[in-house]
Amino acid sequence: MPEDLTPNDLDLPSQEPGDMSAYTADPAMLTDFIVEVREHLTSIEEKILHIESTGADSGDINAAFRVFHTIKGLAGFLELSDIQQVAHEVETLLDLGRSRKLASLSSIADVVLQSMDFIRAETDRLELVATSDGVVPEPAPSLVSADTIIQKIRATASSSQESSEEHQPSAAGDAPSAHDIRLPETQPSSAKQESTRNSSLRVETAKLDHLMNMIGELVIAQTLISHNPRLLGLQDSRLTGDLALLTRVTTEVQRITTSMRMVPIGTQFHRTARLIRDLSRQVGKRIALSTVGEETELDKTIAEELADPLLHMVRNSIDHGIEIPEQRIAVGKDPTANIRLAAYHTAGQIVVQVSDDGRGLDRNRILAKATERGLVRPGAQLTDTEVYLLIFEPGFSTAEAVTGLSGRGVGMDVVKKHVEKLRGRIDIQSEPGKGATFFLRLPLTLAIIEGLVVCVGDNRYIVPMFSILEILRPDESSLSTVQGNGEMATVRGILLPIVRLHERFNLVSSTRQLTEGMLIVSQSEGKRFCLFVDDVLGKQEVVIKTLGATFKDVAGLAGCAVLSDGRVGLILDVHAIYRTPPIQAFAHLGAQASTASADNHTQGVD
């Protein structure tokens, strides 16, 4: 440890357990501290893992040093002595590393990550203080004390220094001292970072949400004005130009506001890196992580909701998919397995892929377990996709015993619930012995979607464009009836079941002849089907409004929106419609929806 950087040099105030009165005096400052510390820790976790895996310092250790130096300063200002002391000890350890006084940089990664966990846990506790009128929660039972962490850091520094002196006696003498290294803030690169930081402004998420809601109202108002029949009937060229200008400005404001909520998915990928590192050690498997498309942006709310599904899917891959090194070698595989996370945009959606090169999904084992649990009839003929999707059923697990990683059948159920909440869907590809890939297909934003406006009788419905594979008007030769499966349509050589929307909602339709209506080809849980409607009225960008207490539990509805003619259209959840049999309770929906208007929103709409 450098003589000029000992912990005793700091005159740190002692913090009594539970004493948080000093920094709860300014909740706003405390909140800023929590946000900033979390951002700093997230930004360097990947760098610490890189140091651990390579043992090389390509600027990562200086970046980590800067972060802990900043956290120490912030914590000291707020009199958070525990965080300040731990950050100081880590800073000292990293300083030894960048001064080349440690035998191995990899050896310090573990204790640095533990220190980060401690600081994270403390900030979580501080957040509870900030949101609970100063009531101080007890530390989590699993949280180690600051003293324990500090002792670990000092022991690591001491042992690593001794090892360095034994094997490289001349290195310490040649290495620059801590103060010979230029401080990060004076380096040219850090000046550029400072300039970038000064050009940005942190805004509360609640304010962005409110702005997004108001933009939604603006879009609705612009749509109503642009389609007002009285204005359209004036045939005034100036008015037409003004309306076009209004449309362009509204679209641009909407685009910019939407982009303000976009965040790169890389942050979520980095969180899984730490999980993979910890779990691979726990289960004795070698795993390498690769990522593609970290810069892909998606709505902040979706990104946050995606955190849990990603963690559960990675845990599932590690526990069930990836073999231990001996098994991989026996089948001719590299002993180090690969997990790949990728993200990209396609067809107005964001697709997140989670892949591994493990053993793949065991179709027979899944099917046997599903049959045993009564989820599938004995002898049922299911496609591979239908079988694979059974792993998302609540309580479903093929594990023989409950372990710390799996066995209760909760994780994949959580994945399904989160993805459905985001109005997304999951597809699976798997090949025995070669691995499995999960595709999470999600909308770019939860506020505004492109939808296809369809009608059934006098009622208007909106089908999200990302749910549509194809639209067609069937001819007589393509229609048939299959015993036990009802009406079917042959689309591109494939026989697909037909779901009549008016039967699902018990509506009066304009036509019952399939050849006089339209079929919308969609897909649910690996099965394609046709949704029959009277007609297609056109495509429209709509602002999603949530359904109130009256409609919130009705299967088949995902929300509502104000259409260009001022009427309220119900947004369909086509997957729920396919899964749910016709129910008479839907009968009241048509009348309520058709009588609603933009000026008189129904009671069931928020």
Side-chain angles (χ1 to χ4, degrees):
M1 185 176 296
E3 294 179 0
D4 53 351
L5 275 177
T6 63
N8 295 328
D9 290 339
L10 287 182
D11 184 18
L12 301 176
S14 59
Q15 180 181 337
E16 295 298 329
D19 179 14
M20 297 189 171
S21 58
Y23 39 82
T24 54
D26 191 340
M29 190 175 293
L30 186 60
T31 301
D32 289 344
F33 169 80
I34 293 168
V35 171
E36 191 162 347
V37 167
R38 285 174 175 168
E39 288 178 354
H40 281 309
L41 293 179
T42 301
S43 69
I44 61 164
E45 189 164 76
E46 183 187 18
K47 299 182 187 303
I48 300 298
L49 293 175
H50 183 258
I51 291 174
E52 182 183 43
S53 61
T54 64
D57 176 20
S58 55
D60 294 337
I61 201 161
N62 261 332
F65 181 89
R66 286 195 294 270
V67 164
F68 281 99
H69 183 75
T70 302
I71 291 175
K72 184 179 77 172
L74 294 172
F77 181 74
L78 291 171
E79 299 180 11
L80 302 169
S81 59
D82 282 353
I83 295 178
Q84 185 187 14
Q85 289 182 61
V86 170
H88 172 73
E89 294 293 339
V90 177
E91 183 190 37
T92 303
L93 180 63
L94 293 172
D95 187 63
L96 292 172
R98 69 180 194 171
S99 302
R100 303 174 187 175
K101 293 180 179 177
L102 299 178
S104 167
L105 291 180
S106 300
S107 62
I108 68 172
D110 203 47
V111 74
V112 173
L113 290 171
Q114 289 180 32
S115 304
M116 293 169 63
D117 290 342
F118 172 82
I119 295 175
R120 275 202 187 94
E122 280 294 293
T123 53
D124 289 344
R125 203 155 68 97
L126 290 171
E127 188 174 43
L128 290 175
V129 174
T131 56
S132 59
D133 298 328
V135 177
V136 182
E138 291 296 325
S142 58
L143 180 64
V144 297
S145 67
D147 289 341
T148 304
I149 287 290
I150 289 172
Q151 292 306 318
K152 282 188 177 182
I153 298 170
R154 290 176 179 175
T156 301
S158 178
S159 62
S160 190
Q161 274 187 290
E162 289 173 2
S163 177
S164 174
E165 290 169 357
E166 289 173 3
H167 295 90
Q168 299 176 350
S170 61
D174 297 334
S177 68
H179 296 291
D180 289 336
I181 300 175
R182 184 178 291 178
L183 291 176
E185 46 267 36
T186 61
Q187 295 175 352
S189 59
S190 109
K192 183 178 178 182
Q193 290 171 358
E194 187 66 25
S195 174
T196 304
R197 190 179 301 120
N198 290 336
S199 66
S200 63
L201 176 67
R202 182 175 290 141
V203 180
E204 291 179 17
T205 305
K207 290 182 179 177
L208 277 181
D209 291 341
H210 183 62
L211 176 62
M212 198 67 196
N213 287 335
M214 296 311 296
I215 294 298
E217 296 300 326
L218 178 63
V219 171
I220 292 171
Q222 178 268 324
T223 303
L224 293 174
I225 292 172
S226 299
H227 292 79
N228 189 302
R230 293 187 180 180
L231 294 179
L232 293 175
L234 293 178
Q235 300 294 324
D236 187 315
S237 59
R238 179 173 176 177
L239 177 62
T240 303
D242 291 344
L243 290 175
L245 176 61
L246 174 63
T247 302
R248 284 199 302 275
V249 172
T250 304
T251 303
E252 185 65 10
V253 171
Q254 177 195 331
R255 187 189 64 77
I256 293 173
T257 307
T258 303
S259 69
M260 291 166 63
R261 289 185 53 85
M262 293 294 183
V263 295
I265 197 171
T267 303
Q268 304 301 332
F269 285 178
H270 296 162
R271 289 179 180 174
T272 61
R274 174 68 187 282
L275 177 74
I276 291 172
R277 177 247 189 203
D278 291 347
L279 289 185
S280 60
R281 285 184 172 189
Q282 183 180 336
V283 299
K285 297 178 180 178
R286 300 181 200 168
I287 304 171
L289 171 68
S290 62
T291 59
V292 177
E294 293 183 46
E295 69 287 354
T296 305
E297 292 188 328
L298 71 169
D299 187 274
K300 185 176 185 297
T301 302
I302 297 177
E304 292 173 349
E305 288 286 341
L306 199 55
D308 281 350
L310 275 179
L311 293 181
H312 284 296
M313 295 179 80
V314 167
R315 287 171 66 97
N316 189 69
S317 288
I318 294 174
D319 196 30
H320 295 287
I322 293 174
E323 312 93 333
I324 59 176
E326 292 77 9
Q327 291 174 334
R328 292 180 64 86
I329 293 172
V331 296
K333 289 183 176 180
D334 189 313
T336 300
N338 286 290
I339 290 181
R340 182 176 183 270
L341 303 178
Y344 52 90
H345 289 148
T346 180
Q349 290 181 288
I350 180 171
V351 179
V352 179
Q353 280 183 227
V354 181
S355 310
D356 68 65
D357 63 349
R359 55 174 66 92
L361 297 179
D362 189 334
R363 173 193 163 91
N364 295 333
R365 192 174 177 187
I366 295 171
L367 191 56
K369 199 73 177 181
T371 306
E372 177 186 322
R373 289 196 51 201
L375 298 174
V376 177
R377 295 194 312 272
Q381 299 298 315
L382 302 180
T383 64
D384 287 346
T385 300
E386 291 168 346
V387 173
Y388 297 154
L389 290 173
L390 289 170
I391 66 174
F392 295 103
E393 290 296 321
F396 187 90
S397 176
T398 56
E400 298 298 334
V402 177
T403 67
L405 275 183
S406 65
R408 300 188 187 279
V410 176
M412 301 309 277
D413 180 34
V414 171
V415 174
K416 182 182 178 183
K417 282 186 167 59
H418 276 261
V419 172
E420 288 183 344
K421 180 181 177 184
L422 296 171
R423 296 194 292 276
R425 73 170 194 267
I426 306 171
D427 294 325
I428 303 174
Q429 291 178 359
S430 179
E431 190 170 352
K434 294 188 176 180
T437 300
F438 293 79
F439 300 86
L440 307 185
R441 304 184 189 277
L442 304 163
L444 292 177
T445 175
L446 298 176
I448 299 175
I449 61 168
E450 284 202 335
L452 187 73
V453 182
V454 302
C455 66
V456 176
D458 293 331
N459 307 296
R460 301 289 183 268
Y461 294 94
I462 301 160
V463 185
M465 292 300 293
F466 57 77
S467 299
I468 300 173
L469 300 176
E470 192 172 355
I471 305 168
L472 58 98
R473 188 185 297 278
D475 55 34
E476 196 65 42
S477 62
S478 66
L479 301 173
S480 59
T481 302
V482 177
Q483 188 172 6
N485 289 312
E487 296 174 306
M488 308 289 281
T490 303
V491 180
R492 303 189 185 282
I494 302 174
L495 207 56
L496 304 178
I498 296 173
V499 176
R500 291 176 179 256
L501 187 58
H502 67 267
E503 290 183 353
R504 282 290 185 269
F505 288 171
N506 196 21
L507 304 170
V508 177
S509 64
S510 300
T511 177
R512 301 184 70 83
Q513 295 297 321
L514 293 173
T515 53
E516 295 177 359
M518 299 294 291
L519 295 181
I520 298 173
V521 182
S522 188
Q523 182 169 307
S524 175
E525 297 183 348
K527 289 183 177 179
R528 292 191 176 191
F529 68 97
C530 298
L531 184 66
F532 175 68
V533 298
D534 290 358
D535 204 357
V536 173
L537 302 180
K539 190 175 75 171
Q540 183 179 334
E541 200 167 54
V542 298
V543 180
I544 301 173
K545 298 289 184 182
T546 57
L547 294 169
T550 307
F551 299 104
K552 69 181 180 66
D553 293 327
V554 176
L557 298 180
C560 66
V562 179
L563 302 176
S564 58
D565 59 1
R567 301 172 70 172
V568 173
L570 294 171
I571 302 172
L572 299 180
D573 178 351
V574 294
H575 309 299
I577 289 175
Y578 178 69
R579 294 194 301 264
T580 309
I583 297 176
Q584 293 298 320
F586 288 157
H588 64 287
L589 292 180
Q592 293 197 28
S594 61
T595 55
S597 68
D599 300 325
N600 183 26
H601 287 191
T602 65
Q603 293 180 348
V605 177
D606 290 333

